[in-house]
């Protein structure tokens, strides 16, 4: 994993991204403007080639960009993009608890904060972009049906995340029961999304519709 600081020339960033092999990931620390410029260039000139997940903290944006094993121009699917984000977030959560087990509380808190910001962004784009698209396409009312179940589960997931977040850097609290609460809410939720909801989205949206939804998800910035 490599980090580039703030505002390198766009062509430098592009050549580093072009050098990635499928599956390789680069972490970039950019200004918000540089991040938007890079994403819009990738969308216009390297469509379908990269996963993209921004983590905004103040004025800087830390972006994880991964090279996909796909041909340039290939349309994106909801399952593919969002299951990638689940895996990425799970890895951050594991890093946080590995640091906590090693008594490195500062690193544990930093990793968990990144996980929490990323998961809140993920929940945000599901509720603001994915679920409304499904509701309008499938005729689900927002207060009933599968998207309503997912929204209700997000409430418990958010609460469980905040409980761990306030405990993981505190040596006087054992965070493992709180972690179990988080896993108890998040794991079955992600399984349902990956087994039912995301494939349903890919089926009911046209290929172009799913591709456009992934484009908007990549552009989504948590409020
Ligand atoms: Fe969700
Ligand atoms: Fe999800």
């Amino acid at each position: 994993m490599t980090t580039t600081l703030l505002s390198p020339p766009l062509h430098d960033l592009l050549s580093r991204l072009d050098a990635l092999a499928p599956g390789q990931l680069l972490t970039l620390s950019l200004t918000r403007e540089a991040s938007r410029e890079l994403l819009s260039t990738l969308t216009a000139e390297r469509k379908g080639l990269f996963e993209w997940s921004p983590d905004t903290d103040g004025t800087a944006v830390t972006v994880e960009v991964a090279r996909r094993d796909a041909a340039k121009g290939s349309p994106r699917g909801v399952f593919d993009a969002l299951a990638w984000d689940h895996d990425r977030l799970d890895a951050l959560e594991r890093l946080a608890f590995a640091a906590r087990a090693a008594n490195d509380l500062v690193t544990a808190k930093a990793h968990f904060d990144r996980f929490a910001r990323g998961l809140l962004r993920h929940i945000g784009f599901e509720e603001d972009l994915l679920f409304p698209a499904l509701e309008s396409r499938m005729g689900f009312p927002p207060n009933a049906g599968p998207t309503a179940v997912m929204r209700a589960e997000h409430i418990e997931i958010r609460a469980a995340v905040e409980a761990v977040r306030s405990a993981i850097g505190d040596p006087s609290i054992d965070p493992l029961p709180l972690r179990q609460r988080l896993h108890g809410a998040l794991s079955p939720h992600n399984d349902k999304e990956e087994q039912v909801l995301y494939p349903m989205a890919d089926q009911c949206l046209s290929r172009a519709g799913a591709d456009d939804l992934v484009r908007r998800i990549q552009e989504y910035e948590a409020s």
Side-chain angles (χ1 to χ4, degrees):
M1 186 178 290
T2 311
T3 301
T4 304
L5 284 176
L6 295 177
S7 268
L10 182 62
H11 61 83
D12 282 3
L13 291 172
L14 291 172
S15 53
R16 293 179 68 180
L17 291 174
D18 287 340
L20 293 177
Q24 272 192 316
L25 180 137
L26 191 62
T27 302
L28 303 167
S29 183
L30 302 168
T31 62
R32 198 178 282 243
E33 293 69 29
S35 155
R36 287 176 181 158
E37 182 186 23
L38 178 58
L39 177 58
S40 88
T41 304
L42 293 179
T43 302
E45 298 175 8
R46 288 159 176 80
K47 180 173 145 49
L49 289 185
F50 295 97
E51 303 286 3
W52 174 276
S53 182
D55 171 26
T56 307
D57 186 12
T59 54
V61 184
T62 302
V63 192
E64 290 190 336
V65 192
R67 177 71 161 82
R68 300 181 65 238
D69 190 5
K72 187 173 168 184
S74 57
R76 304 297 318 276
V78 170
F79 173 87
D80 190 38
L82 272 56
W84 175 80
D85 206 42
H86 285 171
D87 292 345
R88 187 187 71 80
L89 292 166
D90 286 346
L92 283 174
E93 195 266 1
R94 284 195 298 273
L95 279 176
F97 276 91
R100 170 77 194 211
N103 268 327
D104 184 349
L105 301 183
V106 172
T107 302
K109 180 84 169 71
H111 284 314
F112 198 85
D113 279 342
R114 273 188 70 199
F115 163 76
R117 284 194 300 270
L119 185 58
L120 294 180
R121 174 180 177 268
H122 181 102
I123 285 173
F125 63 61
E126 287 182 342
E127 294 190 349
D128 292 345
L129 300 176
L130 173 65
F131 296 172
L134 270 172
E135 286 153 7
S136 93
R137 193 78 189 173
M138 302 290 285
F140 299 142
N143 58 351
T147 50
V149 174
M150 296 296 108
R151 288 180 202 275
E153 291 179 359
H154 284 169
I155 293 171
E156 166 59 8
I157 291 166
R158 282 194 188 96
V161 165
E162 289 311 318
V164 175
R165 199 177 199 176
S166 61
I168 195 161
D170 184 341
S172 71
I173 302 176
D174 175 6
L176 292 182
L178 300 171
R179 188 186 197 195
Q180 284 172 357
R181 175 186 170 192
L182 173 61
H183 285 190
L186 186 59
S187 301
H189 176 82
N190 287 354
D191 288 347
K192 273 182 267 186
E193 289 182 339
E194 292 186 20
Q195 289 163 19
V196 180
L197 205 77
Y198 298 165
M200 183 192 296
D202 282 324
Q203 267 193 348
C204 79
L205 302 170
S206 65
R207 288 189 87 191
D211 184 61
D212 189 60
L213 183 63
V214 172
R215 178 189 62 76
R216 291 190 291 135
I217 284 171
Q218 290 193 328
E219 289 172 356
Y220 185 87
E221 294 179 14
S223 52

